[in-house]
Amino acid sequence: MKAVRIHEHGGPEVLRYEEVPLPEPGRGEARIQVEAAGVNFTDIYNRIGLYKLTLPCTLGSEAAGTVDAVGPEVTEVKPGDRVAYAMHLGAYAEYVVVPAWRLVPLPPAIDGRTAAAVILQGMTVHYLTHSTYPLKPGETVLVHAAAGGVGRLLVQVAKRLGARVIGTVSSEEKARLAREAGADEVILYTKEDFEEAVKRATGGRGVDVVYDSVGKTTAEKSLNCLRPRGYLVLFGNASGAAPPIDPLTLMAKGSLYLTRPTLTHYAGNRAELLQRARVVFDWVASEQVKVRIAKTFPLAEAAEAHRALEGRGVAGKILLLP
Ligand SMILES: NC(=O)c1ccc[n+]([C@@H]2O[C@H](COP(=O)([O-])OP(=O)(O)OC[C@H]3O[C@@H](n4cnc5c(N)ncnc54)[C@H](OP(=O)(O)O)[C@@H]3O)[C@@H](O)[C@H]2O)c1
């Protein structure tokens, strides 16, 4: 079968489209024939070596497709089932073997491409808004990269929960998309100081929570955007890893809270995974949340897909199609 692997860390050019043996499912595992694989910023962190991997390695942490074979002691799925999963490496391939407990059966209303576009980012938005910092009506939230894959979903869900949403983006076109998703105010953080803009928009009070996936270029200023006892939820590193933050800084800036969550720990068992995925698929099926598939690439062009995501020119989800 064909797969996209890396043999060393580096730029998009290290992605190799190559022939590899068809993997066999072991105990508790299932093999999926991949219909679509989601491209996520996590894949870039894996490629550049920000997150540690054993090499060589097939990239990709999210896919949807059909169960093709199961190993011994699999009870969760059977061959022929339509499924999706997140947070297991190997999705940039024609077939992927995944622990069966991680597989979520697809409801009839959800097609494979939509599932591959939403399962990872949708469950992320669910845990960020319902578990890490449960948003309440009337609260004000700052969402960085508000037109991105996670960002657009986050804006939509925060609005549904009754929050006032301030978003940051890098271009006028992305500002339009963030507003279309429901953002009440949008700041072009490449042109304007977002800290000053947030202070202005909140009458100097600050926001209740900042969802910050940009990291290096935003984290310190994000702290300055919070009300006393506000929450900085730092959940990504799109611009690079955030600098270390001294606990005394949290005290000085208003007894603030800082957390650095990952989906791995918020969908760590089958019950929690199925519960989050069910809510996400319900949002999509009932059109409470709209998924924007911005671009698809053939699997062989994974390097182009990475260039598109890193280049900030794409707003929404990128898929790879084997
Ligand atoms: N912790 C978790 O559980 C979890 C799970 C999923 C995703 N994430 C994180 O969520 C974030 C969004 O992921 P995504 O896959 O949906 O990507 P995305 O938001 O579609 O793309 C990242 C966005 O970050 C912004 N950005 C700011 N500075 C950047 C820079 N120097 N280089 C590139 N982009 C920059 C860009 O938006 P502008 O052009 O508008 O600035 C870009 O579109 C990532 O940080 C990812 O790691 C975390």
Side-chain angles (χ1 to χ4, degrees):
M1 69 161 191
K2 293 290 188 193
V4 174
R5 300 205 300 172
I6 59 167
H7 296 252
E8 73 254 327
H9 294 295
E13 69 283 354
V14 302
L15 297 177
R16 288 198 215 165
Y17 180 65
E18 54 193 14
E19 191 68 30
V20 297
L22 185 69
E24 290 303 326
R27 191 175 305 281
E29 293 178 333
R31 186 171 64 205
I32 316 304
Q33 182 174 11
V34 176
E35 178 182 341
V39 178
N40 292 285
F41 236 89
T42 315
D43 306 341
I44 292 170
Y45 309 144
N46 284 330
R47 192 200 73 214
I48 64 179
L50 184 66
Y51 296 167
K52 298 298 162 218
L53 299 177
T54 307
L55 301 178
C57 159
T58 302
L59 288 190
S61 297
E62 170 184 43
T66 305
V67 176
D68 156 75
V70 295
E73 295 174 26
V74 168
T75 54
E76 297 87 348
V77 291
K78 58 183 186 317
D81 286 355
R82 296 166 61 244
V83 294
Y85 78 92
M87 305 307 277
H88 186 78
L89 276 170
Y92 288 10
E94 289 177 306
Y95 293 86
V96 57
V97 166
V98 179
W101 75 265
R102 287 189 182 275
L103 296 172
V104 179
L106 297 191
I110 303 292
D111 65 77
R113 288 191 187 190
T114 303
V118 79
I119 187 163
L120 192 152
Q121 296 178 343
M123 290 199 298
T124 298
V125 165
H126 185 269
Y127 87 71
L128 291 172
T129 54
H130 289 70
S131 304
T132 306
Y133 182 88
L135 270 177
K136 292 178 278 306
E139 289 187 324
T140 303
V141 38
L142 175 61
V143 176
H144 286 305
V150 174
R152 274 189 93 253
L153 299 175
L154 193 42
V155 170
Q156 293 178 73
V157 171
K159 283 306 294 174
R160 287 200 53 75
L161 291 169
R164 174 183 174 216
V165 178
I166 305 174
T168 61
V169 296
S170 66
S171 70
E172 293 290 355
E173 172 58 9
K174 287 186 173 184
R176 190 184 65 72
L177 289 166
R179 277 195 203 96
E180 190 183 277
D184 297 284
E185 272 133 288
V186 181
I187 301 164
L188 266 78
Y189 57 179
T190 39
K191 295 210 174 110
E192 195 183 355
D193 183 324
F194 75 82
E195 179 186 333
E196 280 175 24
V198 167
K199 293 253 173 71
R200 221 170 29 243
T202 58
R205 172 186 179 267
V207 299
D208 298 283
V209 54
V210 181
Y211 293 112
D212 187 339
S213 64
V214 172
K216 188 174 180 176
T217 57
T218 49
E220 282 175 341
K221 273 179 182 275
S222 290
L223 286 174
N224 300 336
C225 293
L226 289 165
R227 59 145 165 96
R229 290 159 54 184
Y231 284 70
L232 173 55
V233 179
L234 198 51
F235 71 100
N237 336 274
S239 67
I245 293 172
D246 184 342
L248 286 176
T249 303
L250 300 178
M251 179 192 77
K253 290 184 187 282
S255 300
L256 303 177
Y257 295 83
L258 167 67
T259 182
R260 188 12 179 131
T262 164
L263 177 59
T264 308
H265 303 124
Y266 282 89
N269 61 59
R270 186 146 181 84
E272 191 173 32
L273 166 74
L274 290 180
Q275 188 263 336
R276 286 199 201 285
R278 185 183 52 73
V279 176
V280 170
F281 289 145
D282 280 354
W283 286 339
V284 176
S286 60
E287 296 189 359
Q288 294 174 67
V289 165
K290 293 208 172 69
V291 179
R292 184 170 195 268
I293 298 175
K295 215 159 171 145
T296 63
F297 291 86
L299 180 61
E301 294 174 19
E304 282 311 308
H306 275 217
R307 287 188 186 99
L309 186 59
E310 281 174 298
R312 299 168 84 165
V314 173
K317 187 71 187 187
I318 299 176
L319 294 180
L320 290 178
L321 306 178

